[in-house]
Amino acid sequence: MGTESGRCFGCAEAAPGWAAALRPANGLAIAVYVLLGVNAMLAAGAVVAGLWCDVLLGRVVDGSGDVDLDEYDALDSLANGLDGAFLPLALATAVVFIIWFYRIRQNADLLLPNGHRLGRGWTIGAWVTPVVLLWFPWQLMVDCWRASAPLDAEGRRRAVSEKVLVLWWSTWIGALVVGRIANSMMKYVDVTVIDGMEDLRETIRVDAAGSALRLVAAVAAILVVQRLTVMQSARRADINPLAARAAQVAAEEAQAQAQAQVQAQAEV
């Protein structure tokens, strides 16, 4: 007798170490929450600074009011400072996130050994391999999500909405693409010509859009980490009760079969 977990309930009951092998990632998840939260705040600050710079430049172009260029310089310096802080923060976040992800995958391998399209090593390599980094991490996360889904009373895996995964990955990829576009546009901005100021404003708007996508991606990532961590913790808590219940059913079936054999022999 078995379930979609990849192991029979009897094996799970006979090997209590299997439950112990599922190591909750709660501590790592908290660290990821903090780092992603700081990322979200930096992204929000970049959006506000960028939009206000656009407003000030608009006043310069339109000549609609007095503009304190010192204010613009201060905002521009703030925006540059936020961009400068983003890289080291992003690297720190990536390291902790990947460690958390690897732990999650280890647990998912126990919960559903044959339910993964890619090997465990890709939980690290997928993020640094050109081209495939656009979809391999997504596949890995979806497989872990499905493997960690809760079970019903019969041991069948329940489907859990993946909308938050779609939101996280689409906004993350969108932020990468829009950020590259903004960087490319900035190379061709020349504020010494008449149209250069408008080009600068357009670049600032695109960069602000990229920061907005980073903000949404960071919040969605927090939700993904939280839900996946909680699902695995719940599965770990349910392993032994499920095993005990299924083992009892198996014992009752075996007893019934033995009684049927005895009765058949008596009739002969």
Side-chain angles (χ1 to χ4, degrees):
M1 183 176 181
T3 70
E4 296 177 4
S5 66
R7 287 174 176 251
C8 67
F9 284 121
C11 292
E13 185 183 40
W18 183 57
L22 282 173
R23 298 185 297 162
N26 297 328
L28 288 169
I30 292 174
V32 177
Y33 298 153
V34 173
L35 290 169
L36 286 173
V38 177
N39 274 275
M41 288 188 291
L42 279 183
V47 171
V48 172
L51 292 179
W52 190 238
C53 282
D54 179 47
V55 170
L56 292 179
L57 288 174
R59 293 177 183 175
V60 173
V61 173
D62 298 338
S64 58
D66 294 334
V67 178
D68 186 353
L69 293 180
D70 289 339
E71 183 180 2
Y72 171 79
D73 290 339
L75 280 172
D76 187 53
S77 297
L78 174 61
N80 291 333
L82 291 174
D83 287 341
F86 172 73
L87 181 58
L89 177 63
L91 290 175
T93 305
V95 170
V96 179
F97 182 89
I98 291 173
I99 294 173
W100 167 85
F101 194 22
Y102 191 82
R103 172 75 61 81
I104 289 294
R105 173 56 189 269
Q106 286 179 314
N107 292 338
D109 282 341
L110 290 169
L111 294 171
L112 190 61
N114 299 319
H116 302 275
R117 287 167 283 186
L118 299 168
R120 189 186 301 176
W122 281 110
T123 56
I124 300 173
W127 301 94
V128 296
T129 304
V131 184
V132 300
L133 63 81
L134 296 176
W135 75 89
F136 270 25
W138 159 259
Q139 290 184 339
L140 290 158
M141 187 67 77
V142 170
D143 290 343
C144 289
W145 185 272
R146 294 172 181 173
S148 305
L151 305 180
D152 61 19
E154 301 300 324
R156 293 186 295 266
R157 186 170 287 100
R158 298 203 298 262
V160 180
S161 173
E162 298 172 2
K163 291 181 180 179
V164 68
L165 293 178
V166 174
L167 178 63
W168 161 63
W169 193 246
S170 60
T171 52
W172 169 244
I173 294 298
L176 292 178
V177 173
V178 174
R180 290 291 183 88
I181 293 174
N183 289 335
S184 297
M185 292 174 64
M186 184 60 73
K187 296 177 181 178
Y188 300 99
V189 172
D190 184 2
V191 295
T192 62
V193 299
I194 297 176
D195 295 333
M197 198 67 73
E198 280 296 341
D199 291 340
L200 178 59
R201 292 185 66 193
E202 189 66 27
T203 302
I204 289 174
R205 292 174 195 147
V206 173
D207 189 59
S211 296
L213 287 171
R214 288 207 316 262
L215 170 60
V216 177
V219 174
I222 290 174
L223 295 176
V224 169
V225 172
Q226 187 270 334
R227 293 182 185 180
L228 192 47
T229 303
V230 168
M231 282 196 295
Q232 289 198 347
S233 296
R235 285 291 302 276
R236 184 178 188 274
D238 288 341
I239 286 173
N240 288 335
L242 282 171
R245 183 164 61 252
Q248 181 180 0
V249 172
E252 291 173 353
E253 291 178 352
Q255 184 178 3
Q257 290 177 356
Q259 291 176 349
Q261 291 176 355
V262 171
Q263 184 176 358
Q265 292 175 355
E267 292 176 352
V268 173

